[in-house]
Amino acid sequence: MRSSLRSKDVSVGLWKALVFGAVIAWIATFRGYQTLGGAMGVGRATSRTVVESAVLILGGDYVMTALLF
C-alpha cells in the first residue's frame, strides 16, 4: 500500500475534505438562519441540508476529480 501511495493523492484528499467541509458548513448555516416554525422547521432545515449537501458533494467530487487528476 505504501509503495502505491503518492503525495498527490494525499493532497487532493485533503483539499476535497476542506472544500466539502466548507460546503456543508455553508449550507447548514444558510438553512439554519432561515429556519421558521419551531421543531418542525428545524427538522425540515436539517433534512434539506443533508440532501443538498449530498448532491453538491457528489457533483463537486466529480468536478474536483476531473480538474485535479
Side-chain angles (χ1 to χ4, degrees), residues 6-41:
R6 298 182 315 199
S7 63
K8 184 174 182 175
D9 296 331
V10 175
S11 65
V12 169
L14 291 174
W15 277 110
K16 283 183 179 184
L18 180 71
V19 169
F20 296 153
V23 166
I24 292 169
W26 179 72
I27 292 172
T29 303
F30 179 75
R31 290 290 168 212
Y33 279 133
Q34 289 187 339
T35 300
L36 299 172
M40 185 183 247

Side-chain angles (χ1 to χ4, degrees), residues 38-62:
M40 185 183 247
V42 170
R44 192 175 305 122
T46 303
S47 297
R48 289 189 69 174
T49 298
V50 169
V51 171
E52 290 173 5
S53 295
V55 170
L56 284 176
I57 286 173
L58 286 173
D61 186 43
Y62 177 78

